[in-house]
Amino acid sequence: MTLKGKVVIAQGGGPTAVINQSLVGVALESRKFSQVDRVYGAVKGVRGIIEEDFLDLSQETTHNLESVARTPASALLSTRDKPDEKYCEEIFHVLKAHDVRYFFYIGGNDSASTVHIVNENAKKSDYEFRAIHIPKTIDNDLLVNDHTPGYGSAAKFVSQAFTGVDLDNRALPGVYIGVVMGRDAGFLTAASSIAQKYYDDGPHLIYLPERPFSKEKFLREVKEVYDKWGRCVVAVSEGIKNEAGEPVAKELIQRAEYDAHGNILLSSSGALGENLVNYVKENLNIKRVRSDTFGYLQRSFMGCVSEVDQHEAREVGEKAAQFALWHNQDGSVTIHRTGDYSVDYQLTALEKVAKHTKSMPDHFINKGGNHITEAFRKYLRPLVGEERFFAHHLRAPQVEKILKNR
């Protein structure tokens, strides 16, 4: 059966460098089908649907849409609302009132849950309706997917940032601690290592949420690296957890803030980095110890976009439209790696992607739990693209000292 009506597209959660590729992909592909009356974009995600705040993307020029596709962050704006059953009923009520037959939501696992609940409302009401979840997250933690759009570009940024930090630290030695996004999965923090070329390149230590974090072990390992190289660069995930499974940052933030999903706002404070800096200074007597919390910089940095990430983000949008409009199906578009390197796009049941998160596989993390393996580097390299920047060191011979005995 061919459904005739409108399309609504929404973007949810944190922006990425390539989320607009998915928006434009599904919008342009949908405009090709005669059964589509209009293509609407919901401003500020699902909240825009509730408030009937729509843009008519049918009247947007293809030229401008293509320009928007190359622009980072969410062109339709976003929301952190986490819809419950009642909220989803309201979403469905508005969509039905506007004769919307196709709903596309670009986001993470909570967005997949929203799509699933809205779709169930349509089934209960015997309203013919197709809902598709389009993957997006820099955390790379969606189940079923080999990787997610947004991750490759964020990983490229983190990699290049740590390359620059390592060069700075080499010039003026000390201890540097960079805190990277990643609440439950360490994929983005692990990307800090992808540009390592020389045996003494940083980051020398990498700490991920998948392994319990001990401050005492951390101190010992920093000392070992510092004693060996005279410096130490550390990458730390904001979501590192103690032996009890509680976020370390939660212990350090006196007045913790929480988002609509009930998650502590880990990147809203530099407390984790500052605390680790003070701990190193107090116990190792090293004067030059610094930290940075990367925060929003990782998500939508315009000068650091992976071409592979752009292309795949565009294609998941196009495939979403094709699954719904050609094949009359619901689900979540998922990315599957085939060969070295290619991908395939499949439609997966929404409940298999919703709610839960994916962690770094054990074989991506070294035995000591403080760095990554070559298997992870092999996994990541195609995603950041071939334009990786590698730093180079001087190789000229040392001139013999004349006054060395004075």
Side-chain angles (χ1 to χ4, degrees):
M1 174 174 45
T2 299
L3 302 180
K4 184 175 177 60
K6 296 182 181 68
V7 164
V8 162
I9 310 166
Q11 297 171 312
T16 80
V18 298
I19 188 172
N20 289 331
Q21 290 283 357
S22 298
L23 163 66
V24 172
V26 68
L28 290 181
E29 196 71 12
S30 296
R31 294 197 324 191
K32 297 176 183 177
F33 291 83
S34 59
Q35 67 261 40
V36 174
D37 294 334
R38 286 283 189 277
V39 177
Y40 288 173
V43 179
K44 296 184 180 179
V46 288
R47 176 168 292 277
I49 298 176
I50 296 291
E51 296 174 354
E52 296 184 80
D53 192 356
F54 298 119
L55 299 179
D56 187 354
L57 300 180
S58 310
Q59 300 184 55
E60 183 62 86
T61 66
T62 300
H63 172 76
N64 194 50
L65 282 174
E66 291 291 2
S67 297
V68 168
R70 295 188 295 272
T71 304
S74 304
L76 285 171
L77 311 184
S78 191
T79 179
R80 282 294 189 188
D81 286 6
K82 184 177 183 179
D84 55 15
E85 293 281 350
K86 186 176 184 303
Y87 196 121
C88 289
E89 285 180 16
E90 292 184 54
I91 292 173
F92 172 66
H93 177 71
V94 173
L95 294 177
K96 185 178 180 181
H98 283 267
D99 191 30
V100 173
R101 297 290 176 167
Y102 302 97
F103 174 42
F104 300 96
Y105 197 14
I106 310 167
N109 53 3
D110 285 318
S111 299
S113 297
T114 298
V115 172
H116 180 56
I117 298 171
V118 171
N119 204 32
E120 290 302 305
N121 273 282
K123 290 178 181 177
K124 290 176 185 176
S125 300
D126 291 324
Y127 182 75
E128 289 296 335
F129 178 80
R130 299 294 171 260
I132 301 280
H133 167 248
I134 301 172
K136 174 265 347 169
T137 174
I138 67 168
D139 292 333
N140 198 36
D141 61 355
L142 287 187
L143 291 173
V144 185
N145 290 271
D146 175 80
H147 57 277
T148 50
Y151 172 63
S153 296
K156 186 174 183 179
F157 171 84
V158 169
S159 170
Q160 292 190 359
F162 269 90
T163 296
V165 161
D166 188 60
L167 292 170
D168 191 291
N169 185 261
R170 183 183 296 276
L172 293 170
V175 174
Y176 173 86
I177 301 166
V179 181
V180 182
M181 278 186 174
R183 181 178 303 279
D184 298 304
F187 287 100
L188 192 55
T189 305
S192 60
S193 68
I194 193 66
Q196 287 179 310
K197 180 177 181 180
Y198 299 95
Y199 59 90
D200 59 341
D201 281 348
H204 306 99
L205 298 168
I206 300 174
Y207 297 98
L208 311 172
E210 287 83 357
R211 295 290 183 271
F213 181 83
S214 161
K215 289 182 73 173
E216 293 75 18
K217 179 175 178 287
F218 162 76
L219 194 69
R220 289 196 306 271
E221 291 171 344
V222 168
K223 185 178 186 304
E224 287 173 6
V225 172
Y226 191 84
D227 288 347
K228 183 175 183 179
W229 303 117
R231 65 190 193 91
C232 182
V233 175
V234 184
V236 178
S237 171
E238 65 179 6
I240 53 171
K241 299 175 177 63
N242 59 25
E243 294 285 350
E246 289 289 322
V248 173
K250 188 177 180 180
E251 305 170 4
L252 311 176
I253 302 173
Q254 294 181 346
R255 294 183 178 180
E257 296 179 58
Y258 294 82
D259 62 18
H261 301 235
N263 298 318
I264 187 172
L265 297 175
L266 299 174
S267 291
S268 64
S269 166
L272 177 59
E274 291 172 8
N275 184 273
L276 294 176
V277 163
N278 292 333
Y279 187 62
V280 171
K281 282 184 176 180
E282 292 166 3
N283 290 278
L284 297 184
N285 195 30
I286 300 173
K287 293 182 179 180
R288 189 177 176 81
V289 187
R290 303 287 187 272
S291 73
D292 285 316
T293 300
F294 283 26
Y296 293 160
L297 288 173
Q298 301 150 100
R299 295 202 301 215
S300 303
F301 195 77
M302 195 158 187
C304 213
V305 182
S306 160
E307 287 189 5
V308 172
D309 200 20
Q310 281 186 318
H311 296 160
E312 293 179 354
R314 182 59 166 264
E315 285 193 308
V316 292
E318 293 172 344
K319 291 298 292 185
Q322 291 173 5
F323 281 126
L325 291 154
W326 269 352
H327 303 291
N328 203 30
Q329 292 178 301
D330 302 303
S332 177
V333 182
T334 51
I335 300 177
H336 302 261
R337 188 176 301 220
T338 58
D340 189 19
Y341 168 81
S342 59
V343 295
D344 183 33
Y345 304 100
Q346 299 176 17
L347 196 64
T348 299
L350 288 162
E351 56 269 26
K352 291 185 177 181
V353 178
K355 295 183 180 179
H356 303 293
T357 58
K358 179 179 72 175
S359 299
M360 285 262 289
D362 287 341
H363 70 283
F364 283 176
I365 307 172
N366 73 350
K367 290 183 179 179
N370 61 7
H371 218 283
I372 54 88
T373 64
E374 187 58 34
F376 173 75
R377 289 193 178 94
K378 183 178 180 181
Y379 163 82
L380 178 58
R381 281 174 185 138
L383 309 185
V384 299
E386 292 304 316
E387 296 180 359
R388 298 187 304 277
F389 176 77
F390 288 101
H392 296 272
H393 302 167
L394 293 172
R395 296 184 299 183
Q398 182 79 41
V399 176
E400 184 177 354
K401 296 180 181 179
I402 297 175
L403 304 176
K404 60 183 178 182
N405 294 324
R406 291 185 60 182

